[in-house]
Amino acid sequence: MFGYTEEQLAQFGLTIGVGAFILYMLFVIAQLAREAKAGRFGTFVLFVVLAFGMVGFIAKSVIAWLLGM
């Protein structure tokens, strides 16, 4: 499709698609903190706890980039 292989399209979708989804989830967490009037510490806890799963995906991408895969 458009001169790209299936592997290239899948990689593009994974990095750009999931990256955009992560940014959207950070926006949702910020809105949740604002509506709950969580304060600074509460907002920090929300971001740490709810965004912790995203750290694994980002770490995987960084490690793969560092190893040159």
Side-chain angles (χ1 to χ4, degrees):
M1 175 185 251
F2 303 115
Y4 296 108
T5 64
E6 182 181 354
E7 180 183 356
Q8 290 172 326
L9 287 173
Q11 184 64 31
F12 175 76
L14 180 66
T15 53
I16 302 300
V18 175
F21 182 68
I22 286 174
L23 289 176
Y24 177 70
M25 289 303 296
L26 292 175
F27 171 74
V28 169
I29 294 170
Q31 286 294 108
L32 179 65
R34 184 179 301 140
E35 289 179 9
K37 297 178 183 161
R40 285 186 178 176
F41 182 71
T43 301
F44 173 74
V45 170
L46 280 171
F47 272 101
V48 168
V49 171
L50 295 177
F52 189 68
M54 297 175 214
V55 173
F57 177 77
I58 295 169
K60 180 194 81 75
S61 299
V62 169
I63 291 169
W65 178 73
L66 288 174
L67 293 176
M69 301 180 102

